[in-house]
Amino acid sequence: MKCKVCKRPAVINLRAQNRGLCASCFDAYVLDRVERTIKRFRMFSRRERILIAVSGGKDSLALWDVLVRLGYAATGLFIDLGISKEGYSARSYEAARSFAHERGLTLLVERLKDWWGKGIEDIGCKILCPICGMAKRYLTNRVAVEGGYHVLCTGHNLDDEAAVLLLNLLNWQIGYLARQAPVLEPWHRKLSRKVKPMVLLTEKETALYAMLRGIRYVMEACPYAQGATSLFYKRILNRIEYRSPGTKQRFYTLFVRYNKLFKGIAQQEREGLQECEMCGQPTQERVCAFCRFKEERDGDLGREVSEGDKV
Ligand code: Q46
Ligand code: ZN
């Protein structure tokens, strides 16, 4: 297959767009796609301070690389969750640290152990992901707001968003649907503005970009992600995409166009928001989930993270 733009050998077949691209045209395509996404959804400008949640994986490091190349002022934030299984947190940190060091970028680090006195594996729950997700949202939001950053960026790609959308639609999770958008405006002074500039690039595209740019990222997923529901939905969407190229993007972008239908519900949730009695962060409960887990050293740690804590 040849590159549709310059006729050199293609490195990728973008089936949804019915064209192949060579390495350098693909590189230009990724930069253009992210820049267009930033502009289309009015995410941020080159004058604003940007914080990127960096996990050490391909998406967040590729995002950081793209933003720096496009001339945006982006600082990284790594949350050390204290996952010792398969050395996951240590390897992830090393990937993020060396990426920043080699490029002279600033990487901030927050360690869950410094906040809770324990890592995510020590909380005594069998299913870690909901609590881990809540802790990451809490810490990234707090650092972004207290550090005076204009936006908090995450590396979510099209596959991530389409999988979550399918899951939420199948379960009619209206509250989650109302909040699923490329830009989430803050509705409380202690909430950051959250944006997803990679949302129109597929997982395959971000992985290829990272590889072509020589980014050394952690390839293995978190050991606790095995069997994660989102992976199951990604596989289903990939099968649909194979039969009908372009479905994934249509599914997500049309949802974004119509998701104002859910805005009324989001409004109701916002009205119930108060400040946590312990840390002052926004929550729908008297004490936020992060502080509840911080306080509970032994005993009853199996309680759920409520939808209201997904701010
Ligand atoms: S880091 Fe945390 Fe993920 Fe690992 S424990 Fe689950 S949520 S899978 S992206
Ligand atoms: Zn709290």
Side-chain angles (χ1 to χ4, degrees):
M1 180 176 226
K2 288 198 169 147
C3 174
K4 186 110 174 190
V5 181
C6 71
K7 311 299 176 213
R8 279 182 288 190
V11 293
I12 188 167
N13 178 11
L14 301 175
R15 290 183 73 234
Q17 301 171 34
N18 194 24
R19 61 175 181 156
L21 291 176
C22 71
S24 82
C25 292
F26 174 71
D27 185 67
Y29 159 80
V30 170
L31 293 183
D32 181 63
R33 193 92 165 157
V34 175
E35 182 76 306
R36 278 170 190 265
T37 307
I38 292 167
K39 297 236 154 34
R40 175 172 164 190
F41 297 107
R42 297 193 180 134
M43 290 183 167
F44 44 76
S45 73
R46 287 184 173 74
R47 290 189 306 278
E48 292 176 318
R49 290 175 68 229
I50 298 158
L51 186 67
I52 306 180
V54 176
S55 66
K58 65 183 185 322
D59 298 311
S60 54
L61 291 181
L63 170 62
W64 201 0
D65 187 68
V66 169
L67 291 189
V68 170
R69 289 179 73 198
L70 290 172
Y72 291 100
T75 298
L77 169 63
F78 178 79
I79 305 292
D80 183 348
L81 299 157
I83 297 176
S84 59
K85 194 173 177 185
E86 298 171 17
Y88 182 70
S89 285
R91 286 187 299 121
S92 303
Y93 170 65
E94 184 47 32
R97 191 204 62 78
S98 58
F99 177 93
H101 179 72
E102 284 161 15
R103 291 158 181 81
L105 301 169
T106 305
L107 178 71
L108 311 177
V109 181
E110 287 294 336
R111 294 191 165 81
L112 192 57
K113 272 196 178 144
D114 294 341
W115 291 78
W116 280 0
K118 61 197 164 195
I120 201 75
E121 286 167 326
D122 308 319
I123 58 170
C125 279
K126 280 197 183 127
I127 301 172
L128 293 182
C129 293
I131 298 143
C132 177
M134 174 274 296
K136 284 191 284 189
R137 282 191 298 276
Y138 179 96
L139 290 172
T140 50
N141 179 72
R142 198 160 167 177
V143 172
V145 172
E146 293 179 1
Y149 290 92
H150 291 94
V151 284
L152 171 63
C153 274
T154 54
H156 293 94
N157 60 43
L158 181 61
D159 294 54
D160 297 325
E161 292 299 297
V164 169
L165 175 58
L166 181 58
L167 174 64
N168 287 341
L169 278 174
L170 288 174
N171 294 288
W172 284 108
Q173 293 277 13
I174 304 288
Y176 295 170
L177 287 167
R179 281 194 296 262
Q180 193 180 355
V183 176
L184 192 58
E185 298 292 347
W187 60 90
H188 186 283
R189 67 189 175 87
K190 290 186 180 174
L191 287 178
S192 60
R193 190 163 185 266
K194 299 180 178 75
V195 302
K196 300 170 183 172
M198 304 286 265
V199 83
L200 296 183
L201 287 170
T202 64
E203 198 153 300
K204 185 174 154 193
E205 290 164 2
T206 57
L208 179 61
Y209 175 85
M211 197 194 86
L212 293 173
R213 290 283 298 158
I215 296 170
R216 281 175 285 122
Y217 59 90
V218 174
M219 291 198 189
E220 304 80 29
C222 167
Y224 297 104
Q226 284 161 12
T229 324
S230 62
L231 296 180
F232 172 69
Y233 285 96
K234 278 185 185 179
R235 279 196 288 271
I236 291 173
L237 281 163
N238 282 337
R239 287 180 66 181
I240 298 172
E241 181 74 16
Y242 185 76
R243 287 282 296 270
S244 175
T247 303
K248 223 185 278 178
Q249 183 165 334
R250 262 195 318 280
F251 179 51
Y252 180 69
T253 53
L254 288 176
F255 163 74
V256 169
R257 188 184 298 171
Y258 297 125
N259 84 341
K260 47 178 136 352
L261 298 173
F262 302 105
K263 287 282 174 353
I265 292 143
Q267 189 58 36
Q268 285 171 20
E269 284 190 2
R270 289 165 197 190
E271 282 159 11
L273 216 55
Q274 51 188 302
E275 293 187 4
C276 168
E277 281 180 6
M278 298 183 74
C279 71
Q281 294 299 297
T283 176
Q284 299 239 318
E285 315 285 334
R286 202 170 49 79
V287 174
C288 77
F290 189 87
C291 288
R292 290 203 308 270
F293 276 96
K294 183 180 174 184
E295 286 303 295
E296 294 278 2
R297 302 280 161 140
D298 319 300
D300 178 26
L301 286 170
R303 67 184 77 181
E304 284 193 0
V305 177
S306 80
E307 190 171 328
D309 286 311
K310 293 209 167 192
V311 293

